[in-house]
Amino acid sequence: MTGVPLAEELLLLAYDDETGKATMPRISLDLGMAAAALIELSLAGRIAYDDGALTVVDPTPTGEPVIDDVLARIAADTPHSPSSWVQRLRHGLRDRILGDLCEHGVVRDVDETELGFIHVHRYPVLDRSVEADTRQRLTAALTGAPPDERTAALATLVAVLRMESALGLSGEAAEETHHRLEKIASGAGFTGEVSIEGSVVRPSVGLVVAALGRAVQAALGPRH
């Protein structure tokens, strides 16, 4: 696997660069990062959907510690559905990814105290190059450039989580961008029944995306 993990890209998009605070509901971000880790492993050929569950088909580490921990957990556990894994993995994943980003100097941990005893952590960006590359790839895809598989997966996650505001958009522009993101997701075969000749369509990715959509809707309501 090469590049920045999808879960890290998603988190960087979701946090304000200056304030270091999340700009979206944390439960939906946590669910999104769990789905991103599963999608990452599917795209890397490490897991697949079989008989109602996600199973490990190649235990070879990807080289990304957070993602490899997820792979090891799936390998060691009894089989679970995509929906079950999205829920199981969301707990603690954000803190682990934030810790990894701090360790690599991408963000810094600002520990503040409110009301004299409540500790609040913020994570302002130190190295903007990672997020800049993420945004550049999404912008290119939204303006018509054929996205690679990982960029299409990221666009799919942004669409399901309704993260258009993280792209600096609102109102009609956000709605238009949402439809474009959905088109990218459908064209990649990650949603719906669309299959393009010559594309690699993994049922595991589509099922994880569907599971994420249901989980977010259950947590936040039909329009989030």
Side-chain angles (χ1 to χ4, degrees):
M1 189 180 79
T2 59
V4 179
L6 290 170
E8 290 191 5
E9 292 191 300
L10 200 67
L11 185 147
L12 287 172
L13 288 175
Y15 272 65
D16 183 271
D17 290 355
E18 301 297 332
T19 67
K21 296 180 179 180
T23 60
M24 61 183 290
R26 294 196 175 193
I27 187 170
S28 58
L29 176 57
D30 290 344
L31 289 165
M33 287 189 296
L38 294 171
I39 291 171
E40 191 86 65
L41 289 170
S42 179
L43 295 181
R46 301 305 196 270
I47 63 173
Y49 181 76
D50 181 50
D51 195 24
L54 293 175
T55 60
V56 173
V57 294
D58 180 358
T60 306
T62 67
E64 292 289 345
V66 174
I67 302 302
D68 288 339
D69 283 352
V70 173
L71 178 63
R73 182 173 172 182
I74 296 173
D77 208 336
T78 55
H80 295 290
S81 68
S83 293
S84 179
W85 275 120
V86 166
Q87 294 289 349
R88 287 168 177 268
L89 293 173
R90 71 180 176 89
H91 302 287
L93 187 59
R94 174 161 41 90
D95 288 340
R96 178 73 192 278
I97 292 173
L98 283 167
D100 189 63
L101 289 170
C102 286
E103 182 179 343
H104 287 86
V106 179
V107 302
R108 64 188 179 99
D109 183 355
V110 179
D111 185 356
E112 299 176 333
T113 303
E114 294 182 354
L115 302 178
F117 64 94
I118 301 176
H119 283 272
V120 177
H121 290 265
R122 300 187 294 108
Y123 298 90
V125 170
L126 291 175
D127 181 358
R128 297 178 184 271
S129 64
V130 177
E131 186 178 350
D133 176 72
T134 298
R135 290 181 178 276
Q136 183 178 10
R137 287 171 25 238
L138 279 175
T139 299
L142 286 168
T143 53
D148 60 25
E149 203 170 37
R150 294 184 75 259
T151 302
L154 181 61
T156 302
L157 290 165
V158 171
V160 174
L161 296 172
R162 294 308 303 257
M163 289 176 62
E164 292 82 16
S165 62
L167 303 179
L169 301 170
S170 61
E172 292 184 5
E175 287 300 317
E176 181 180 349
T177 297
H178 178 71
H179 291 311
R180 290 181 183 176
L181 291 167
E182 288 187 318
K183 187 175 181 179
I184 292 170
S186 178
F190 296 153
T191 58
E193 303 296 330
V194 177
S195 177
I196 299 176
E197 185 178 355
S199 68
V200 179
V201 180
R202 293 175 174 84
S204 52
V205 174
L207 291 167
V208 168
V209 170
L212 172 61
R214 292 193 297 271
V216 172
Q217 183 172 337
L220 300 179
R223 182 61 186 268
H224 49 277

